[in-house]
Amino acid sequence: MIALLVGAAAAVIGAEWPRLSTRYGGEARQRRERTRRKGQLKLLRTETEEFAAGGERDLDQLPTIEETDQKR
């Protein structure tokens, strides 16, 4: 009777092993670690965005002269 019970338990574990390994196995651990690492990332601006922002700042700082419409 014990051998039959152990055999049934082994069959259930064998049938459910792929589902258990995806939830609790090494791949699941790697997936959780990757999710944790991705949560700590911060978004950086691209070089083109930085270049455009720098150009706008430079243009704002330039001295301007008012052109008057003088007809002679």
Side-chain angles (χ1 to χ4, degrees), residues 12-62:
V12 169
I13 291 173
E16 294 294 324
W17 186 256
R19 188 170 63 123
L20 292 173
S21 68
T22 57
R23 178 173 258 174
Y24 301 109
E27 290 179 18
R29 185 177 332 108
Q30 290 173 351
R31 190 170 43 248
R32 286 189 303 267
E33 288 175 2
R34 182 172 188 249
T35 303
R36 191 177 314 119
R37 284 193 314 263
K38 285 178 73 174
Q40 295 174 353
L41 295 177
K42 66 178 186 177
L43 183 64
L44 297 177
R45 295 174 61 163
T46 63
E47 290 182 14
T48 44
E49 289 174 343
E50 290 177 12
F51 181 76
E56 289 176 9
R57 277 193 311 267
D58 291 344
L59 287 175
D60 289 339
Q61 293 175 359
L62 286 176

